[in-house]
Amino acid sequence: MRKSAMKESGADRAFTIVNYVLLSVFLIMVLYPLIYVVSASFSSSSAVVSGKVWLWPVEPTLEGYRAVFKNAMVAKGFMNTLLYTVAGTAINLVLSIMAAYPLSRKDFRGRGVFMLLFVFTMLFNGGLIPTYLLVKDLGMMDTVWSMLIPGALSVWNVIIMRTYFQTTIPNELLEASQLDGCSDIRFLRSVVMPLSGPILAVIALFYAVGHWNQYFNAMIYLKSSNLYPLQLVLRDILVQNEVNIEMLGDAKTAAARQGLRELLKYSLIVVTSVPLLIVYPFVQKFFVKGVMIGSLKG
Amino acid sequence: MLTGWKRLLRSWQLYALFLPPLLYIIIFKYVPMYGAQIAFKEFSVTKGISGSPWAGFDQFERFFRSHEFWRLLRNTFSISLYTLIASFPFPIMLALGLNYVKNRRFKNTVQMVTYAPYFISLVVLVGLMLQFLDPRTGLINSILGWFGLGPYHFMAEASWFQSIYVWSHIWQNVGFSCIIFLAALSSIDPALHEAAVMDGATKVQRMRHIDIPGIKPIAVILLILNTGQLLETGFEKILLMQNALNLRSSEVIDTYVYKVGLVSQAMNFSYATAIGLFKAVIGFVLLLIVNQLAKKLKQESLW
């Protein structure tokens, strides 16, 4: 290590320095907004509105979080999103495995045709309105099902999974198990799945992120507000600026209300983003492995 | 040994497994394609898809003649091209830079932090932008205030819309998009680098002659893929960012379809579907052309 450091030429040293500086600048550009939001969410509303927050919280308080957790819509939205994410991801995973595993088998007759049928849907689709009409005709409008079923399978994820199965499960295992009279489903359950932990984790995360962040389908398919996912509640507050007065608790004057309104937004952003940001470092180590094997060698 | 039928019968479980996803694809992907025929009809909900009378290309003609047509086309293409061109180099640069970082801690930190925005929802991202760009309480205007500039009402100006859209897109996606290039870099044979070091190559030279050629195939494939998806503008994000004041540069085909089909007073399913179909066909043709072009250039192609 030392030797190679000593051997580093002037040009290389310059390169290394420039590289570190650029990456650091880059790091700060991505990180700063995130830090600012967290700091603002813990600051007093007057400090946020008057622009006194730069890096660390000013006059720390939990005012914003109190307003967030007191709100019934936010709580309801959070529970709905949790349900959609857990149930939706479970459906996604099961269907994806059921599609990807047969497609990964060379002795699965007709897989070329099936593959084409699947891939074509990535290139061309019926469009927004025909899909909407279908969901309507199926009687899913304004039901939980409209949040779970229309996006139940992503062909892209199926392809990643299929490639992973193809490249990591040795054919010899299948042959040996077939000689022992093991059925296909049993082989999938007791050999393939245990060997595919990383890809299952990554795909589950992809699906879960999709469900957690979903707002558009909810916006067009749901009418009753007690089914609204968190993102739709958020949109009303963050984007359309519809903060109802009860949310603002005991703020009396117009100025205090305005302040709390801003503060509340920062706290909301933190509350909704934290769950995923907590989960993803655990799955991150699988990313490169899972995603790469899946997409590169396709 | 086994005849075709026996073999098929022996793997009945595979077919049983495959049936539900296949049904899903047929119902939720192919039925809407069948439903897209209402673009050529005068669709009425009571008569249904097959019962509605044919209208030929009336809906398309109406769209081509409407005063919205050129504006939608221009906005859709300019946002897509801007995104494509501006966001292409950054993940590559990030990956090349990270590849030469020896300090594991620093490398992991940069990776962790730059991936993070990918997981932030569009609603939150747009909410963030609105907070930061707010003319009275926003961070950006406070900073500009130091230099005696502003305050600007960024979200209310049509001229700012596309840049805000594209650069926030880059901020959110650059870390995640660089994963694929990092993996490509790690699959380059280390012997090449060792040999280059022996020959006295500098890091910049190694980057130019080993790393960049090494990731070029992936870069070309991704560029083709992205070009094929050119018209798939980030419709959900644009919808969130839109307001009456920036509509002039923010209305794209997809948002227009949504409004004509599902929001406006005079909802028109057929007209909206025709507009959507027009876009889908252009996108599809574009993909074919780009792929053909890539083949001609003897580069990687998708099929």
Side-chain angles (χ1 to χ4, degrees):
Chain A
M1 224 43 242
R2 269 203 70 120
K3 240 184 182 172
S4 71
M6 270 165 60
K7 261 200 297 193
E8 200 168 63
S9 69
D12 275 359
R13 208 165 321 128
F15 172 85
T16 305
I17 292 168
V18 171
N19 191 19
Y20 272 79
V21 169
L22 282 179
L23 285 173
S24 303
V25 169
F26 198 68
L27 181 71
I28 290 166
M29 273 165 59
V30 176
L31 193 58
Y32 181 66
L34 302 176
I35 292 179
Y36 179 84
V37 170
V38 175
S39 295
S41 75
F42 284 107
S43 300
S44 78
S45 49
S46 57
V48 172
V49 177
S50 57
K52 281 193 211 119
V53 180
W54 290 111
L55 192 59
W56 303 120
V58 178
E59 303 161 35
T61 158
L62 291 173
E63 238 184 313
Y65 289 94
R66 223 171 284 140
V68 168
F69 287 113
K70 249 186 10 205
N71 184 265
M73 279 307 286
V74 172
K76 185 82 194 141
F78 198 91
M79 291 317 287
N80 284 338
T81 291
L82 210 60
L83 168 74
Y84 300 150
T85 303
V86 172
T89 306
I91 295 174
N92 288 147
L93 264 189
V94 171
L95 269 186
S96 302
I97 295 169
M98 287 165 91
Y101 179 66
L103 286 174
S104 76
R105 284 270 298 261
K106 288 194 183 64
D107 56 338
F108 182 58
R109 287 247 171 147
R111 76 171 184 157
V113 178
F114 292 134
M115 202 60 206
L116 207 66
L117 211 61
F118 273 54
V119 170
F120 184 70
T121 67
M122 293 168 77
L123 306 175
F124 198 81
N125 63 68
L128 176 66
I129 306 296
T131 309
Y132 173 86
L133 290 175
L134 171 73
V135 172
K136 205 170 161 186
D137 288 345
L138 291 173
M140 287 183 190
M141 290 298 280
D142 208 22
T143 67
V144 174
W145 299 111
S146 67
M147 292 295 95
L148 303 177
I149 304 298
L153 190 70
S154 142
V155 174
W156 180 246
N157 287 344
V158 168
I159 293 177
I160 293 179
M161 217 186 239
R162 178 203 68 142
T163 315
Y164 187 93
F165 289 155
Q166 271 174 356
T167 48
T168 56
I169 312 289
N171 216 21
E172 290 75 25
L173 272 180
L174 178 67
E175 281 161 14
S177 77
Q178 277 175 338
L179 281 180
D180 291 340
C182 173
S183 73
D184 290 320
I185 289 178
R186 181 132 180 250
F187 180 71
L188 172 62
R189 234 189 28 221
S190 38
V191 180
V192 178
M193 303 265 288
L195 288 175
S196 309
I199 194 68
L200 295 181
V202 170
I203 299 288
L205 181 76
F206 281 165
Y207 279 129
V209 170
H211 285 290
W212 188 270
N213 291 342
Q214 167 65 35
Y215 86 92
F216 186 71
N217 282 355
M219 185 169 85
I220 61 177
Y221 296 142
L222 295 181
K223 292 205 170 58
S224 26
S225 58
N226 63 336
L227 290 178
Y228 278 9
L230 190 55
Q231 299 295 334
L232 215 51
V233 178
L234 270 182
R235 172 176 149 268
D236 291 345
I237 298 170
L238 288 179
V239 180
Q240 308 200 315
N241 215 3
E242 288 165 9
V243 184
N244 56 39
I245 298 299
E246 309 103 79
M247 281 186 84
L248 299 177
D250 25 63
K252 298 267 175 346
T253 65
R257 242 183 272 143
Q258 168 63 24
L260 194 50
R261 189 203 297 260
E262 297 309 311
L263 181 56
L264 173 95
K265 289 181 185 172
Y266 287 113
S267 313
L268 254 183
I269 289 173
V270 174
V271 170
T272 36
S273 307
V274 156
L276 281 184
L277 295 181
I278 288 177
V279 175
Y280 110 87
F282 294 102
V283 189
Q284 195 214 351
K285 60 177 177 202
F286 299 135
F287 267 165
V288 175
K289 204 175 159 199
V291 177
M292 277 307 98
I293 293 178
S295 52
L296 271 190
K297 296 177 187 163
Chain B
M1 258 192 343
L2 289 169
T3 63
W5 274 110
K6 264 195 186 144
R7 197 194 289 256
L8 218 60
L9 220 60
R10 209 183 66 166
S11 50
W12 68 271
Q13 288 192 335
L14 289 181
Y15 291 89
L17 276 173
F18 197 65
L19 190 65
L22 184 65
L23 282 177
Y24 170 83
I25 289 288
I26 291 171
I27 295 173
F28 283 92
K29 301 291 178 187
Y30 285 94
V31 169
M33 285 186 209
Y34 167 82
Q37 64 175 275
I38 65 171
F40 305 95
K41 291 190 163 188
E42 202 57 66
F43 180 73
S44 87
V45 180
T46 46
K47 289 181 195 146
I49 292 174
S50 48
S52 298
W54 290 99
F57 284 90
D58 288 2
Q59 310 290 358
F60 293 92
E61 261 175 54
R62 184 179 149 200
F63 178 51
F64 298 149
R65 291 214 183 113
S66 86
H67 63 282
E68 303 282 4
F69 178 70
W70 289 110
R71 191 182 63 156
L72 291 176
L73 213 59
R74 196 180 51 232
N75 285 344
T76 307
F77 270 99
S78 63
I79 292 182
S80 311
L81 269 177
Y82 190 173
T83 314
L84 182 73
I85 293 167
S87 65
F88 187 66
F90 290 98
I92 299 178
M93 280 155 54
L94 181 59
L96 286 173
L98 279 174
N99 200 36
Y100 283 94
V101 171
K102 285 237 179 64
N103 185 332
R104 286 233 131 249
R105 252 254 202 79
F106 182 70
K107 189 174 174 179
N108 286 341
T109 310
V110 175
Q111 279 189 274
M112 282 274 273
V113 170
T114 51
Y115 291 174
Y118 181 82
F119 293 92
I120 291 174
S121 80
L122 289 176
V123 176
V124 167
L125 179 74
V126 174
L128 270 179
M129 282 152 51
L130 293 178
Q131 290 303 101
F132 284 147
L133 297 172
D134 189 279
R136 277 177 305 134
T137 58
L139 182 69
I140 307 272
N141 274 309
S142 305
I143 295 173
L144 288 176
W146 286 357
F147 302 100
L149 296 167
Y152 295 107
H153 200 335
F154 291 98
M155 295 305 288
E157 297 232 9
S159 55
W160 277 105
F161 181 87
Q162 301 195 350
S163 292
I164 297 172
Y165 171 84
V166 171
W167 292 98
S168 62
H169 173 88
I170 294 173
W171 180 80
Q172 185 169 31
N173 291 294
V174 64
F176 202 76
S177 319
C178 100
I179 293 180
I180 199 159
F181 294 109
L182 273 179
L185 284 172
S186 71
S187 67
I188 291 175
D189 188 356
L192 285 175
H193 279 290
E194 281 160 24
V197 172
M198 285 299 190
D199 291 342
T202 64
K203 284 180 178 171
V204 177
Q205 283 169 330
R206 276 155 61 196
M207 196 186 263
R208 259 190 62 193
H209 299 287
I210 301 175
D211 291 335
I212 292 180
I215 58 176
K216 206 173 132 204
I218 299 277
V220 173
I221 289 186
L222 284 181
L223 196 61
I224 296 172
L225 276 174
N226 292 343
T227 313
Q229 299 287 308
L230 188 71
L231 297 185
E232 298 301 318
T233 43
F235 146 66
E236 299 195 4
K237 186 172 153 196
I238 293 177
L239 202 59
L240 287 169
M241 287 173 64
Q242 262 179 1
N243 57 45
L245 296 166
N246 63 30
L247 218 51
R248 192 159 50 80
S249 63
S250 68
E251 191 82 293
V252 293
I253 295 177
D254 285 320
T255 54
Y256 192 67
V257 168
Y258 165 70
K259 286 174 189 165
V260 170
L262 299 177
V263 194
S264 84
Q265 294 293 317
M267 286 202 300
N268 191 334
F269 288 146
S270 283
Y271 187 44
T273 306
I275 301 172
L277 199 60
F278 165 74
K279 195 207 79 168
V281 169
I282 294 194
F284 192 64
V285 171
L286 217 64
L287 184 68
L288 294 180
I289 294 174
V290 173
N291 194 56
Q292 217 49 40
L293 220 69
K295 256 187 197 165
K296 275 247 170 67
L297 294 170
K298 291 227 164 45
Q299 291 286 3
E300 323 288 323
S301 76
L302 287 177
W303 54 78

